[in-house]
Amino acid sequence: MALLDIQNLVVEFQTASGSFRAVDGVSLHVDEREVLAIVGESGSGKSVSMLAVMGLLPWTAKVTADRMSFGGRDLLKLGPAERRKIVGKDMSMIFQEPMASLNPCFTVGFQIEEVLRFHMGMDKTQRRARAIELLKQVGIPEPAERLNSFPHQMSGGQCQRVMIAIAIACNPKLLIADEPTTALDVTIQKQILDLLVSLQAKYGMGLIMITHNMGVVAETADRVIVQYKGRKMEEADVLSLFESPKSNYTRALLSALPDNAVGNRLPTVSDMLFEPAPQDVSTTGASA
Ligand SMILES: Nc1ncnc2c1ncn2[C@@H]1O[C@H](COP(=O)(O)OP(=O)(O)O)[C@@H](O)[C@H]1O
Ligand SMILES: [Mg+2]
């Protein structure tokens, strides 16, 4: 049985200029211990679809689906209170902006302990011990001292480690990582990815890795969904996707890998439409 099973998810926002469909009939599933990557350029509805799963969208969003089940439970039938018991505990999410996701007014220790108090009902001593253990697991040196730090006293990479600590605090079955390294320095990105992958393996979590980077997909995922304009363009296991991509859009994303990238941006569909014809292989061969 799939850990998360979504059929025909649609998210529409009511805006001043009418309704806007950000997610247009996406179906996906994640098995236990599986790493699913969702890729696609900015604005393709990756974050919105996962926020819908977490139940974290604003009231202007209308969410419908034929099915949305997690661990065999129908999320569409749960009330807000029941949903809150799952979100942040069995299913948790790491956001793109670590600095903006932590509350600047509270120490990181308080923010980790808050999750443990709410979801696990731990007392003060248990919470502190667990918070220290978590900071150790995510690779923060001198964890006991760092519990007293405020987010602004830590680097972006360290804040992201704290976010990961909060997300794994209650041993979730599913972790959703929404572009977890985009806001970080390139040198730190690899460390954070390695940390996520090692935690996933160690605790056997299902992991949804949202990214616009095919390099990240190659390094982390078992299976990949390519999303564009709120729709699923392609779904394949990671090897098939790299070896024989089915859609032009996926080919364009693959051409944005560091070896092929022009500038520092993903190609868009208009790039593909106006792409010069591929060079004749025999000509290339002759000149080599
Ligand atoms: N609260 C909102 N109200 C209206 N439109 C939104 C809202 N949040 C996101 N959108 C729109 O939904 C689309 C998908 O956004 P998003 O899921 O954030 O894309 P991404 O694939 O980059 O994560 C975008 O066009 C975005 O502008
Ligand atoms: Mg996003």
Side-chain angles (χ1 to χ4, degrees), residues 5 14 16 23 67 71 76 175 177 183 203 210 221 235 239 263 269 271 274 287:
D5 187 5
Q14 304 310 320
V23 180
R67 180 160 64 236
L76 296 167
L175 179 62
Y203 296 109
I210 302 181
E235 175 169 0
L239 280 178
V269 161
D271 288 329
F274 301 110
S287 66

Side-chain angles (χ1 to χ4, degrees), residues 130-190:
R130 174 72 175 142
I132 292 173
E133 181 185 289
L134 283 163
L135 283 191
K136 224 185 266 172
Q137 273 171 18
V138 297
I140 293 197
E142 298 177 341
E145 287 74 52
R146 290 331 290 267
L147 285 181
N148 301 319
S149 300
F150 286 89
H152 75 271
Q153 296 169 316
M154 299 183 122
S155 68
Q158 282 183 328
C159 284
Q160 194 58 304
R161 288 176 193 273
V162 171
M163 288 304 303
I164 295 172
I166 292 173
I168 64 164
C170 308
N171 304 313
K173 296 189 178 72
L174 176 68
L175 179 62
I176 301 171
D178 189 357
E179 310 218 21
T181 61
T182 307
L184 303 176
D185 289 349
V186 180
T187 47
I188 310 294
Q189 290 184 356
K190 175 95 173 81

Side-chain angles (χ1 to χ4, degrees), residues 68-87:
M68 186 145 73
S69 74
F70 174 72
R73 296 181 78 184
D74 185 350
L75 294 178
L76 296 167
K77 291 211 178 104
L78 294 182
E82 287 297 309
R83 196 84 177 255
R84 263 200 301 278
K85 285 188 199 156
I86 296 179
V87 168

